[in-house]
Each structure stands twice: as structure tokens, then as C-alpha cells.
């Protein structure tokens, strides 16, 4: 569960404007904490998948009307996409914005992350020529990358698994860095 | 697709606060708008209704006047009120608004020039319109055109009339067929819910027109006092607003009265029974009725005067028309007699007579006959025949021109050659012959007469021609008999010209009649 705080963005804005050094120091501490999680997630990415059947490096042609074909498995692409962000994100419809976030940017990485979270045995309404394709694909992911970890919507194989394994240490470090920077700023401006 | 996992999130209430603020402003605005609309709408609606009522009355009055003018122009200038009554009854019977019936009747009257026929056709049009779902205007237009002989519009109505029907049947037969086909449709349509609603709507429209008439009358009364429309325009708006406010107040009082059980046992509401206001309203109503009665009396008097005047005009127009008809008849009589005389004159036309006589001649060539016939056609002013003959004459002329350009070989050349041979032979025996013309033809120069030498001086005495001589010449079976002509010339000296010509003529005539002739001479120098 993400921690919801008030004033994080104001702290960031004030530090960036009035104390850039402190801002950099804070970002460095937060980045270290987030990077530990993303690096842990990168270690979960196998070098090959399905004994190389999806790891031949070529893009499959779509047989449907989709403009983009199913992405080929590429471990380096997945690892590259596992990263973090310290920029404030766009708010959701309920008014919440992410001040710090972990990201899984690549398409194949996102598939590996969440495939099977909704239908653990494949989509029953799948139009595939092989009705068991979804289930076989999810089973292969579970076998090669790992089973889905997490609770509720926060479930996945890579970043979510790493965050779950981190047991909140990164989150606490981010909050500590924010409080520390805020205290320093208050002390400096007092 | 990027999966975003928020580590630290913050609630941004700025947007929500702004939204709440805007919603509050909107709410206040809506409340103000509702209050404004609530107060303004009723007055505006009443003003609109008042204007619509006046507009409806003005349009109806315009249509009535147009119909009356049309009837008057067609010589059917009856009193319009019975016609208006007929239209009103028809409106309530069929549910078709008088705004549609009046133009339809006007159109049919224009086409038929008869009010009775127009009314019959209007009834038929209503049946057809109800049966086909088409507008009354299109049906009356089609029937009006069909009455005048143009049946094309009837085919467009798709009412089961074939082209054969329209081309072979008369208008009365067509209307009879349509009457059988669509009889009672309008009455049946009026009995339906839609028809009943239409009748109610027509009644509401009439009520609006009546209200408009009263309003216009009140404006007219005010105009007499104020002497000016601009000043009245503002006053009229104020009046409408006041009337609207009064209506709202009345509604409010009525609602309160209803809440305490009403004033009448039957559940109806008599606004005159409203305390305090009721007597005033009763006074106003009575005043309005008096004014309406006066206006009606005045209108009746004007209508009677108009009717009298129209009657006199009709009488005058009838007299004038009778005189014109009589004059036309006399003129037609004179024209007819003139035509008869012209026809009789043609009978004795010298030129025509000579042409007829010329045409009797059997020896005329084809070209000449055509010329004579063409001239005769022109004199008789028969354009069609003249055109045909002119064409035929042109063809004949072309044929003659072609023949003129044709150059045949001379079939008489052989004769000329034979004659020349005879001349040469005669010349070889010393006979006098005429000189030959440059073209080989015998010269017209007279032959030099022979000087017949009497016997004893070298002259030749031809013996008598016997039958045996002719047999020798033509054969026994030729049937030629010997003539009995014997010319003996004796004496001395020269013969006179008459004698020589007589001899030559006799010989030539005998020869031309087929008798064999011969010249024999005993002596002489010249011969014929």
C-alpha cells in the first residue's frame, strides 16, 4: 500500500527553489532507496523464456487487426524498463498524485509483470486457435520468472515481487529522506 | 504500457476546492436564473400568446378577405358569412383547420368558377386527403387542374387512376369513380382520436382567433384616443404584462379557492363568484359584450350595405354583360355572312374557273398540271395542299432540267445522208438541186425551178404510169394501184410559176399519200 502524505510536493518545490543542494541530497537518498527495489526486480528477469522460443529477437507479426504485434521476449529490454521516478505524476480521478514511483516501462516487461493477475488460467473468452494458450503462457511465466506476489491490485512478478520482498524498507527510506530534508529546510529558514 | 507503482502519494485538493467553488457559483447562478425565469417566463408566455392570437386573427381576416375578393372578381360576390359558416361547420366535422379549408375552396372556385361545384370538389378533396394521407392543398390543386383538363396532377396522387382512365374518361366520370373510392374517408378520419384532437385543435385555434379579434378591436378603440401607433406599442406591451399579472393573480386566487372546496357544487369554477374581484370582472365582461354587440351590429349594417351595393353592381354587370353578348352575337352573324359571301365569291372567281378549265385539258404535261393545281391551291388558300404541290413542282422542275441537259444522238442523220445521196445522183444526171447547208441540212433556199422544154425543142414528155410499172416498182402483192394522173405539158415558151408549182404540189401530194410517182421526160435540160 502506498503511503499517502501531505506536503511532499510543497517540500520538493521549496527545496528545488530555495535550497537546491538539500534538494539534491534528498533526491540522492530517495533514489538509492528506490533503486534498490528496481535492481532487485531486474534480478528476477530470466535471460531466456520458454527455452528461447520467444527470445529469438524477432517481432511476431500480428494476425489480428492490431497495429502492434505481440512483443518478443527480450530480457535486456525488460531490465531497462524496470526503473523509478521522482517526478510528480498526473493525479488520478480521485485526486491522488504519485510523488515517487517505481516503473515497469517496457511492453514485454509489463506483460511478464501482470499476466495472469486477472485470469490465472487464461482468459476464458480467448479467441486464440489454441484455447489453452493463455494458461500455458501463464504457467510458463510462473515457472521461468516466478509466481505472482502481492495483495489486491498491487500484485505482480517483477517490480511488485521486489517491492513485496523489500518489506517497506524503501518506502520508509523515502519518507525519512523527506522528513529529514523538511527539517533541514525549516532549520535553515528559521 | 507502463506500470506505475506509487511509493509515496499525495492528495491534491486544489482541484476539488476549485470544483466546489465553481459548483457553488453555478448553483447560485442557477437559482438566480430559476427565479428570473419563473418571474419572466409567465409574462413572456402571455405576451407571446397575445401576439400569436392577434397574428392568427390577422391571418384569418386576410384569408377571408382574399376569398371574398376572389369571389367578387369571379362574379360570385355573395355574402361571405354563409361561406364562412360552411367552412366552420366543415372544420368541426372533419378536423381540418379553416386555415387549410379556405385556400382550398378559393383555389377550387378559381378553377371551376362555380361555388357549388367548388364545394362538391372540396368535399371530395377532403375524402381523398383523408384516404391517401396527402395534404388537402395538393389534392385540391390536382382536382382543380383536372377540372381544367390537365390530368397529370391526378396521376401523381397515386389514387388508382391509370393513364388510360385519365385519357379516356371525362372529368365527371373521374370524380364519380373517386367518390365511390374515397366516400366517407374524411368522416371516418374525424371519428378517430387523431381526428378528435384535430377538431379540438381547430377549436382552440378559433378561440385564439376570437381572442385576437377582441384584442385588435380594443387596440382600435385605443387608437381612436391616442392617435398614434408608436405610443400604443409601448402601452400594448404594458397592457399584456398587466393582463399576464392579472392572470397569475387570478390563478393564485383560484388555487386558494379550490383548496377550500370550490365555489360551485358541480366542481366548476365561476370566476365571477370570486369575492371583491368578481363584480369588477362581471362589469368588464358585460362592457365587453356590449362593445362586441355594438361592433357586431355595425359589422352587420356594413355587410348589408355591402350586399346591397354588390347586388346593384351585379345587376349592372349583368346588363353590361348581356349587351356585350348581344353585340358579340351580331358580330358573329355578320362574320358568318361575310364568310358565306366569300365562299360564294370563290365559286365565281374567273381565275379559278380558267384554272379548272385548263386542268380539263388532257394534253397538258405533268409539270403544267402541277403548276395549275398549285395556283389553284394558292387561290383557295389551302396551305397544306400548296406546300405539297410546291414540293412536287420543284421535283418536276429538277426532272425537266435533267432532261434538258441530256444530249441524244440525232436519229435523222441517216435520213439526211440518204437525201444527200439522192441529191448527188440527181446532180449526176444533170437535175437541178439545192445547195447543201453547212451542217449537212438541206438549205431553205428555194430549189431552182426547171425550165421545162416543150416537146420538139428537147423537152421530155412523161408517159402515163401504168399498173405494170407500179408492180415492177413495188411488187404485185403491194396493193398499190396506179394513179390516173397524167400531166402532159405541150407548147412553147416557159411555164408560169403557178403552173410549175401546181405540178410540183400534185406530185408531192401523190407521193405523200403513198402513191408511186415517177418523172419521165423526153427532152429538156432541167428537171425537178
Amino acid at each position: 500500500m502506498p503511503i499517502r502524505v501531505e506536503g511532499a510536493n510543497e517540500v520538493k518545490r521549496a527545496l528545488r527553489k530555495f535550497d537546491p543542494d538539500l534538494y539534491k541530497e534528498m533526491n540522492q537518498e530517495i533514489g538509492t532507496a528506490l533503486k534498490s527495489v528496481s535492481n532487485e526486480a531486474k534480478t528476477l528477469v530470466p535471460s531466456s523464456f520458454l527455452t528461447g522460443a520467444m527470445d529469438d529477437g524477432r517481432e511476431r507479426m500480428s494476425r489480428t487487426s492490431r497495429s502492434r504485434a505481440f512483443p518478443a521476449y527480450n530480457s535486456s529490454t525488460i531490465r531497462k524498463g524496470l526503473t523509478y521516478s521522482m517526478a510528480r505524476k498526473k493525479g488520478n480521478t480521485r485526486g491522488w498524485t504519485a510523488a515517487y514511483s517505481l516503473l515497469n516501462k517496457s511492453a514485454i516487461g509489463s506483460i511478464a509483470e501482470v499476466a495472469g493477475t486477472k485470469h490465472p488460467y487464461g482468459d476464458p473468452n480467448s479467441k486464440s486457435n489454441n484455447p489453452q494458450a493463455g494458461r500455458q503462457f501463464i504457467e510458463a511465466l510462473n515457472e521461468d520468472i516466478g509466481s505472482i506476489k502481492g495483495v489486491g491490485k498491487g500484485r505482480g512478478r517483477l517490480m511488485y515481487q521486489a517491492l513485496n520482498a523489500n518489506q517497506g524498507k524503501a518506502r520508509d527510506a523515502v519518507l525519512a529522506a523527506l522528513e529529514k530534508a523538511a527539517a533541514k529546510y525549516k532549520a535553515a529558514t528559521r | 504500457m507502463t506500470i506505475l507503482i506509487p511509493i509515496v502519494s499525495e492528495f491534491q485538493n486544489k482541484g476539488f476546492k476549485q470544483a466546489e467553488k465553481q459548483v457553488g457559483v453555478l448553483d447560485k447562478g442557477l437559482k438566480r436564473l430559476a427565479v428570473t425565469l419563473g418571474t419572466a417566463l409567465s409574462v413572456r408566455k402571455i405576451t407571446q400568446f397575445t401576439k400569436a392570437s392577434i397574428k392568427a386573427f390577422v391571418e384569418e381576416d386576410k384569408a377571408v378577405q382574399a376569398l371574398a375578393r376572389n369571389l367578387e372578381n369571379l362574379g360570385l360576390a355573395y355574402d361571405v358569412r354563409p361561406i364562412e359558416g360552411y367552412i366552420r361547420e366543415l372544420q368541426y366535422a372533419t378536423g381540418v383547420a379553416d386555415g387549410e379549408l379556405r385556400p382550398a375552396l378559393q383555389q377550387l372556385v378559381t378553377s371551376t368558377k362555380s361555388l357549388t361545384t367548388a364545394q362538391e370538389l372540396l368535399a371530395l378533396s377532403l375524402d381523398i386527403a383523408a384516404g391517401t394521407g396527402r395534404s388537402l392543398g395538393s389534392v385540391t390543386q390536382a382536382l382543380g387542374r383536372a377540372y381544367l383538363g390537365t390530368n397529370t396532377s391526378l396521376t401523381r396522387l397515386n389514387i388508382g387512376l391509370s393513364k388510360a382512365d385519365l385519357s379516356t374518361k371525362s372529368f365527371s366520370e373521374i370524380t364519380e369513380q373517386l367518390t365511390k373510392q374515397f366516400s366517407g374517408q374524411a368522416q371516418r378520419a374525424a371519428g378517430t382520436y387523431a381526428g378528435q384532437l384535430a377538431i379540438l385543435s381547430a377549436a382552440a385555434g378559433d378561440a385564439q382567433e376570437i381572442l385576437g379579434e377582441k384584442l385588435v378591436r380594443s387596440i382600435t378603440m385605443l387608437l381612436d384616443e391616442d392617435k398614434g401607433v408608436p405610443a400604443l406599442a409601448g402601452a400594448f406591451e404594458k397592457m399584456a404584462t398587466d393582463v399576464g399579472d392579472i392572470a397569475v393573480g387570478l390563478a393564485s386566487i383560484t388555487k386558494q379557492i379550490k383548496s377550500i372546496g370550490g365555489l360551485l357544487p358541480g366542481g366548476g369554477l365561476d370566476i365571477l363568484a370570486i369575492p371583491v374581484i368578481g363584480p369588477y370582472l362581471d362589469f368588464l365582461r358585460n362592457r365587453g359584450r356590449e362593445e362586441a354587440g355594438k361592433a357586431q351590429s355595425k359589422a352587420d349594417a356594413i355587410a348589408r350595405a355591402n350586399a346591397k351595393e354588390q347586388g346593384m353592381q351585379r345587376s349592372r354587370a349583368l346588363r353590361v354583360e348581356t349587351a356585350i353578348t348581344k353585340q358579340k352575337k351580331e358580330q358573329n352573324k355578320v362574320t358568318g355572312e361575310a364568310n358565306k359571301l366569300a365562299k360564294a365569291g370563290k365559286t365565281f372567281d374567273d381565275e379559278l374557273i380558267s384554272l379548272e378549265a385548263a386542268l380539263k385539258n388532257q394534253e397538258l404535261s405533268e409539270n403544267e398540271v402541277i403548276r395549275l393545281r398549285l395556283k389553284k391551291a394558292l387561290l383557295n388558300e389551302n396551305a397544306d395542299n400548296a406546300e405539297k404541290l410546291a414540293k412536287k413542282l420543284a421535283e418536276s422542275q429538277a426532272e425537266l432540267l435533267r432532261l434538258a441537259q441530256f444530249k441524244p444522238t440525232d436519229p435523222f442523220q441517216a435520213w439526211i445522208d440518204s437525201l444527200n445521196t439522192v441529191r448527188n445522183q440527181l446532180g449526176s444526171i444533170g437535175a437541178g438541186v439545192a445547195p447543201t447547208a453547212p451542217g449537212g441540212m438541206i438549205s431553205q433556199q428555194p430549189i431552182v425551178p426547171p425550165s421545162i422544154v416543150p416537146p420538139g425543142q428537147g423537152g421530155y414528155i412523161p408517159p402515163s404510169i401504168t399498173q405494170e410499172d407500179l408492180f415492177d416498182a413495188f411488187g404485185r402483192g403491194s396493193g398499190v394501184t396506179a394513179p390516173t394522173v397524167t400531166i402532159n405539158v405541150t407548147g412553147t415558151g416557159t411555164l408560169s410559176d403557178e403552173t410549175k408549182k401546181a405540178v410540183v404540189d400534185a406530185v408531192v401530194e401523190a407521193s405523200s399519200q403513198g402513191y408511186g410517182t415517177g418523172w419521165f421526160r423526153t427532152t429538156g435540160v432541167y428537171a425537178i
Side-chain angles (χ1 to χ4, degrees):
Chain A
M1 287 290 290
I3 295 299
R4 293 169 181 176
V5 297
E6 286 186 7
N9 285 314
E10 282 76 8
V11 171
K12 286 164 71 177
R13 194 180 301 119
L15 291 176
R16 188 168 57 237
K17 192 170 183 179
F18 301 109
D19 199 345
D21 293 336
L22 184 58
Y23 182 61
K24 281 183 183 178
E25 185 183 344
M26 183 189 73
N27 282 348
Q28 197 170 4
E29 289 179 8
I30 293 171
T32 303
L34 295 176
K35 199 169 186 177
S36 64
V37 180
S38 63
N39 284 342
E40 178 63 26
K42 284 176 185 175
T43 60
L44 299 173
V45 178
S47 58
S48 66
F49 175 62
L50 280 175
T51 63
M54 282 187 66
D55 197 16
D56 52 5
R58 64 187 175 87
E59 197 86 2
R60 264 68 181 174
M61 297 299 292
S62 174
R63 290 182 301 168
T64 64
S65 60
R66 293 188 189 114
S67 59
R68 189 178 177 190
F70 195 88
Y73 184 85
N74 192 323
S75 58
S76 63
T77 304
I78 296 173
R79 288 193 192 100
K80 195 176 177 181
L82 291 169
T83 180
Y84 63 92
S85 171
M86 292 189 289
R88 192 178 72 162
K89 299 299 177 186
K90 188 180 175 183
N92 61 17
T93 55
R94 295 179 298 278
W96 293 95
T97 58
Y100 299 98
S101 52
L102 294 166
L103 303 173
N104 188 344
K105 288 183 174 179
S106 66
I108 185 64
S110 299
I111 292 169
E113 180 81 49
V114 297
T117 54
K118 191 174 183 181
H119 298 291
Y121 304 103
D123 188 352
N125 297 320
S126 172
K127 300 292 187 296
S128 173
N129 290 332
N130 176 14
Q132 301 299 321
R135 185 179 61 81
Q136 290 168 359
F137 181 71
I138 290 166
E139 285 177 353
L141 284 173
N142 290 338
E143 188 175 343
D144 289 356
I145 300 173
S147 59
I148 295 170
K149 298 290 190 317
V151 180
K153 289 185 177 178
R155 296 190 303 150
R157 290 190 181 87
L158 299 174
M159 196 64 92
Y160 279 111
Q161 187 171 348
L163 186 64
N164 196 40
N166 188 261
Q167 294 184 344
K169 293 176 186 173
R171 184 184 60 215
D172 293 343
V174 170
L175 290 174
L178 276 171
E179 286 178 1
K180 182 182 169 185
K184 280 187 178 179
Y185 179 70
K186 284 180 181 175
T189 56
R190 187 176 292 171
Chain B
M1 178 186 171
T2 300
I3 295 175
L4 188 146
I5 304 168
I7 299 300
V8 174
S9 296
E10 188 179 6
F11 182 69
Q12 293 289 322
N13 58 358
K14 185 180 176 183
F16 284 90
K17 283 180 180 175
Q18 285 179 345
E20 282 178 5
K21 190 177 176 183
Q22 293 300 325
V23 168
V25 171
L26 182 63
D27 190 29
K28 286 178 185 175
L30 283 173
K31 283 178 181 174
R32 280 199 300 271
L33 183 65
V35 170
T36 308
L37 285 175
T39 53
L41 198 62
S42 57
V43 175
R44 193 162 63 90
K45 283 286 181 189
I46 289 168
T47 309
Q48 283 178 352
F49 179 75
T50 308
K51 287 181 178 176
S53 301
I54 293 174
K55 190 179 176 187
F57 166 69
V58 169
E59 285 178 356
E60 193 201 36
D61 186 58
K62 189 178 174 185
V64 170
Q65 296 300 329
L67 178 61
R69 174 65 62 187
N70 194 16
L71 291 171
E72 187 179 344
N73 291 339
L74 293 172
L76 306 169
Y78 307 112
D79 190 0
V80 182
R81 282 182 298 179
I83 299 171
E84 283 301 313
Y86 163 75
I87 289 174
R88 195 171 296 111
E89 286 175 9
L90 205 58
Q91 173 185 244
Y92 290 133
T94 60
V96 180
D98 55 352
E100 288 184 62
L101 290 171
R102 206 172 281 112
L105 181 65
Q106 186 176 345
Q107 188 171 17
L108 289 171
V109 164
T110 307
S111 299
T112 61
K113 310 284 190 302
S114 165
L115 188 61
T116 311
T117 312
Q119 286 176 341
E120 290 172 2
L121 288 179
L122 181 60
L124 178 60
S125 301
L126 285 166
D127 283 337
I128 294 172
T132 59
R134 292 185 176 274
S135 67
L136 180 64
S138 62
V139 177
T140 51
Q141 190 177 19
L143 280 177
R145 287 182 179 174
Y147 185 85
L148 296 173
T150 308
N151 294 331
T152 316
S153 302
L154 284 177
T155 57
R156 290 177 188 154
L157 293 177
N158 293 326
I159 49 179
L161 288 172
S162 64
K163 286 186 177 177
D165 289 340
L166 295 173
S167 59
T168 56
K169 291 184 178 178
S170 65
F171 180 74
S172 59
E173 289 172 338
I174 290 171
T175 50
E176 190 179 350
Q177 181 181 338
L178 290 174
T179 306
K180 285 180 184 174
Q181 192 174 345
F182 293 101
S183 179
Q185 289 281 2
Q187 196 176 358
R188 189 172 299 170
T192 61
Y193 286 115
Q196 295 294 314
L197 282 174
I199 291 169
L200 277 175
S201 176
D206 273 0
Q208 194 174 18
E209 287 162 6
I210 290 167
L211 182 60
E213 182 191 359
K214 304 292 181 190
L215 285 168
V216 168
R217 188 169 293 163
S218 66
I219 290 168
T220 311
M221 289 164 65
L222 291 170
L223 267 178
D224 291 336
E225 295 174 3
D226 290 340
K227 306 290 184 187
V229 174
L232 182 66
F236 181 70
E237 291 287 337
K238 188 176 180 304
M239 183 186 75
T241 309
D242 292 342
V243 169
D245 291 341
I246 289 167
V248 172
L250 282 173
S252 175
I253 292 167
T254 306
K255 191 177 177 184
Q256 287 180 6
I257 291 168
K258 270 191 170 180
S259 66
I260 61 174
L263 295 176
L264 295 177
L269 178 63
D270 185 4
I271 59 171
L272 302 179
I274 299 171
V276 183
I277 301 172
Y280 290 105
L281 292 175
D282 189 28
F283 170 74
L284 287 173
R285 190 187 66 173
N286 292 333
R287 183 68 183 270
R289 282 180 178 172
E290 284 176 13
E291 290 295 332
K294 286 179 187 174
Q296 189 63 39
S297 303
K298 193 176 176 182
D300 291 344
I302 292 169
R304 281 196 297 275
N306 285 338
K308 190 177 178 183
E309 177 63 23
Q310 284 170 1
M312 291 171 69
Q313 284 180 357
R314 277 203 302 276
S315 302
R316 280 198 294 271
L318 191 63
R319 283 198 296 274
V320 170
E321 194 174 350
T322 309
I324 290 171
T325 309
K326 190 178 176 183
Q327 194 175 356
K328 278 184 180 176
K329 278 183 181 176
E330 288 175 355
Q331 192 175 355
N332 289 338
K333 191 178 176 184
V334 170
T335 309
E337 287 175 354
N339 288 335
K340 285 178 185 174
L341 285 173
K343 194 174 179 182
K346 278 184 181 178
T347 310
F348 297 102
D349 194 330
D350 293 340
E351 197 169 1
L352 280 172
I353 290 168
S354 59
L355 278 173
E356 288 292 340
L359 282 169
K360 299 287 184 188
N361 190 357
Q362 299 291 333
E363 295 178 358
L364 290 174
S365 67
E366 187 185 0
N367 186 270
E368 288 168 341
V369 170
I370 293 170
R371 282 172 183 277
L372 289 172
R373 284 182 179 169
L374 176 59
K375 194 170 182 182
K376 184 183 170 188
L378 290 171
L379 285 172
N380 285 328
E381 297 176 354
N382 189 347
D384 294 339
N385 203 13
E387 188 181 353
K388 287 177 188 174
L389 288 169
K391 193 175 177 184
K392 207 170 176 181
L393 181 62
E395 290 173 359
S396 178
Q397 294 278 29
E399 183 69 18
L400 281 176
L401 185 64
R402 194 176 63 78
L403 287 172
Q405 290 173 350
F406 177 68
K407 291 180 179 177
T409 55
D410 188 0
F412 302 106
Q413 188 61 42
W415 292 11
I416 293 169
D417 293 343
S418 300
L419 287 173
N420 285 335
T421 305
V422 171
R423 288 180 69 252
N424 292 334
Q425 287 176 355
L426 287 172
S428 66
I429 61 172
V433 293
T436 306
M441 298 294 290
I442 297 171
S443 172
Q444 296 300 316
Q445 193 176 0
I447 297 170
V448 178
S451 57
I452 297 172
V453 180
Q457 295 180 7
Y460 175 70
I461 302 169
S464 302
I465 298 171
T466 62
Q467 188 66 41
E468 289 300 323
D469 294 334
L470 291 173
F471 286 163
D472 291 342
F474 300 101
R476 286 187 182 274
S478 62
V480 178
T481 55
T484 56
V485 178
T486 302
I487 302 169
N488 291 318
V489 181
T490 58
T492 60
T494 57
L495 296 174
S496 65
D497 290 343
E498 287 78 11
T499 307
K500 286 187 283 185
K501 191 172 184 301
V503 170
V504 171
D505 287 345
V507 172
V508 169
E509 187 177 355
S511 178
S512 65
Q513 289 178 359
Y515 297 107
T517 55
W519 288 91
F520 304 100
R521 65 178 184 182
T522 54
T523 58
V525 179
Y526 300 103
I528 297 172

